[in-house]
mmCIF file of all heavy atoms in Angstrom:
data_model
loop_
_atom_site.group_PDB
_atom_site.id
_atom_site.type_symbol
_atom_site.label_atom_id
_atom_site.label_comp_id
_atom_site.label_asym_id
_atom_site.label_seq_id
_atom_site.Cartn_x
_atom_site.Cartn_y
_atom_site.Cartn_z
ATOM 1 N N VAL A 153 -79.234 147.409 -30.400
ATOM 2 C CA VAL A 153 -77.893 146.845 -30.311
ATOM 3 C C VAL A 153 -76.936 147.860 -29.681
ATOM 4 O O VAL A 153 -76.124 147.513 -28.819
ATOM 5 C CB VAL A 153 -77.371 146.413 -31.704
ATOM 6 C CG1 VAL A 153 -75.911 145.972 -31.619
ATOM 7 C CG2 VAL A 153 -78.237 145.281 -32.270
ATOM 8 N N ALA A 154 -77.065 149.112 -30.084
ATOM 9 C CA ALA A 154 -76.222 150.161 -29.517
ATOM 10 C C ALA A 154 -76.416 150.245 -28.006
ATOM 11 O O ALA A 154 -75.442 150.338 -27.247
ATOM 12 C CB ALA A 154 -76.542 151.505 -30.171
ATOM 13 N N ALA A 155 -77.665 150.197 -27.572
ATOM 14 C CA ALA A 155 -77.944 150.219 -26.134
ATOM 15 C C ALA A 155 -77.387 148.969 -25.468
ATOM 16 O O ALA A 155 -76.853 149.025 -24.353
ATOM 17 C CB ALA A 155 -79.443 150.328 -25.897
ATOM 18 N N GLY A 156 -77.478 147.836 -26.158
ATOM 19 C CA GLY A 156 -77.018 146.572 -25.595
ATOM 20 C C GLY A 156 -75.515 146.501 -25.399
ATOM 21 O O GLY A 156 -75.035 145.763 -24.541
ATOM 22 N N VAL A 157 -74.771 147.287 -26.181
ATOM 23 C CA VAL A 157 -73.309 147.301 -26.029
ATOM 24 C C VAL A 157 -72.837 148.511 -25.225
ATOM 25 O O VAL A 157 -71.643 148.814 -25.181
ATOM 26 C CB VAL A 157 -72.596 147.268 -27.400
ATOM 27 C CG1 VAL A 157 -72.980 146.005 -28.160
ATOM 28 C CG2 VAL A 157 -72.889 148.520 -28.227
ATOM 29 N N GLY A 158 -73.790 149.188 -24.603
ATOM 30 C CA GLY A 158 -73.435 150.316 -23.753
ATOM 31 C C GLY A 158 -73.114 151.590 -24.492
ATOM 32 O O GLY A 158 -72.440 152.471 -23.953
ATOM 33 N N ARG A 159 -73.605 151.705 -25.733
ATOM 34 C CA ARG A 159 -73.352 152.909 -26.525
ATOM 35 C C ARG A 159 -74.657 153.478 -27.072
ATOM 36 O O ARG A 159 -74.838 153.580 -28.286
ATOM 37 C CB ARG A 159 -72.384 152.584 -27.666
ATOM 38 C CG ARG A 159 -70.979 152.214 -27.234
ATOM 39 C CD ARG A 159 -70.200 153.423 -26.746
ATOM 40 N NE ARG A 159 -70.041 154.393 -27.824
ATOM 41 C CZ ARG A 159 -69.076 154.340 -28.729
ATOM 42 N NH1 ARG A 159 -68.183 153.357 -28.702
ATOM 43 N NH2 ARG A 159 -68.986 155.265 -29.665
ATOM 44 N N PRO A 160 -75.608 153.827 -26.194
ATOM 45 C CA PRO A 160 -76.875 154.388 -26.681
ATOM 46 C C PRO A 160 -76.595 155.642 -27.508
ATOM 47 O O PRO A 160 -75.733 156.441 -27.171
ATOM 48 C CB PRO A 160 -77.619 154.710 -25.389
ATOM 49 C CG PRO A 160 -76.565 154.813 -24.337
ATOM 50 C CD PRO A 160 -75.512 153.829 -24.724
ATOM 51 N N GLY A 161 -77.334 155.774 -28.574
ATOM 52 C CA GLY A 161 -77.111 156.905 -29.458
ATOM 53 C C GLY A 161 -76.139 156.611 -30.581
ATOM 54 O O GLY A 161 -75.947 157.440 -31.479
ATOM 55 N N ALA A 162 -75.517 155.436 -30.547
ATOM 56 C CA ALA A 162 -74.538 155.080 -31.586
ATOM 57 C C ALA A 162 -75.141 154.138 -32.621
ATOM 58 O O ALA A 162 -74.443 153.272 -33.165
ATOM 59 C CB ALA A 162 -73.304 154.452 -30.952
ATOM 60 N N SER A 163 -76.423 154.300 -32.894
ATOM 61 C CA SER A 163 -77.081 153.372 -33.817
ATOM 62 C C SER A 163 -76.492 153.441 -35.222
ATOM 63 O O SER A 163 -76.376 152.420 -35.907
ATOM 64 C CB SER A 163 -78.590 153.636 -33.862
ATOM 65 O OG SER A 163 -78.850 154.968 -34.263
ATOM 66 N N ASN A 164 -76.103 154.631 -35.668
ATOM 67 C CA ASN A 164 -75.495 154.739 -37.003
ATOM 68 C C ASN A 164 -74.173 153.980 -37.057
ATOM 69 O O ASN A 164 -73.874 153.300 -38.036
ATOM 70 C CB ASN A 164 -75.270 156.204 -37.369
ATOM 71 C CG ASN A 164 -76.564 156.931 -37.700
ATOM 72 O OD1 ASN A 164 -77.570 156.300 -38.018
ATOM 73 N ND2 ASN A 164 -76.544 158.254 -37.618
ATOM 74 N N ALA A 165 -73.381 154.111 -35.990
ATOM 75 C CA ALA A 165 -72.099 153.402 -35.933
ATOM 76 C C ALA A 165 -72.324 151.893 -35.905
ATOM 77 O O ALA A 165 -71.552 151.126 -36.489
ATOM 78 C CB ALA A 165 -71.307 153.848 -34.712
ATOM 79 N N VAL A 166 -73.386 151.453 -35.228
ATOM 80 C CA VAL A 166 -73.715 150.029 -35.200
ATOM 81 C C VAL A 166 -74.075 149.558 -36.605
ATOM 82 O O VAL A 166 -73.656 148.472 -37.038
ATOM 83 C CB VAL A 166 -74.872 149.754 -34.226
ATOM 84 C CG1 VAL A 166 -75.449 148.346 -34.446
ATOM 85 C CG2 VAL A 166 -74.409 149.899 -32.791
ATOM 86 N N GLY A 167 -74.843 150.372 -37.327
ATOM 87 C CA GLY A 167 -75.199 150.019 -38.696
ATOM 88 C C GLY A 167 -73.980 149.851 -39.576
ATOM 89 O O GLY A 167 -73.883 148.905 -40.360
ATOM 90 N N VAL A 168 -73.014 150.743 -39.422
ATOM 91 C CA VAL A 168 -71.774 150.659 -40.190
ATOM 92 C C VAL A 168 -70.988 149.408 -39.801
ATOM 93 O O VAL A 168 -70.453 148.698 -40.651
ATOM 94 C CB VAL A 168 -70.910 151.919 -39.976
ATOM 95 C CG1 VAL A 168 -69.527 151.729 -40.610
ATOM 96 C CG2 VAL A 168 -71.597 153.151 -40.548
ATOM 97 N N ALA A 169 -70.927 149.130 -38.504
ATOM 98 C CA ALA A 169 -70.206 147.948 -38.017
ATOM 99 C C ALA A 169 -70.814 146.670 -38.571
ATOM 100 O O ALA A 169 -70.090 145.735 -38.949
ATOM 101 C CB ALA A 169 -70.210 147.925 -36.495
ATOM 102 N N CYS A 170 -72.129 146.622 -38.627
ATOM 103 C CA CYS A 170 -72.807 145.436 -39.165
ATOM 104 C C CYS A 170 -72.594 145.320 -40.666
ATOM 105 O O CYS A 170 -72.349 144.227 -41.194
ATOM 106 C CB CYS A 170 -74.303 145.498 -38.861
ATOM 107 S SG CYS A 170 -74.722 145.235 -37.122
ATOM 108 N N ARG A 171 -72.667 146.445 -41.349
ATOM 109 C CA ARG A 171 -72.523 146.432 -42.804
ATOM 110 C C ARG A 171 -71.122 146.009 -43.229
ATOM 111 O O ARG A 171 -70.938 145.435 -44.306
ATOM 112 C CB ARG A 171 -72.850 147.820 -43.356
ATOM 113 C CG ARG A 171 -72.875 147.899 -44.869
ATOM 114 C CD ARG A 171 -73.510 149.196 -45.354
ATOM 115 N NE ARG A 171 -72.762 150.383 -44.976
ATOM 116 C CZ ARG A 171 -73.175 151.298 -44.105
ATOM 117 N NH1 ARG A 171 -74.338 151.159 -43.483
ATOM 118 N NH2 ARG A 171 -72.444 152.364 -43.850
#
Side-chain angles (χ1 to χ4, degrees):
V153 174
V157 300
R159 293 287 298 275
S163 59
N164 287 340
V166 166
V168 171
C170 288
R171 186 167 64 248

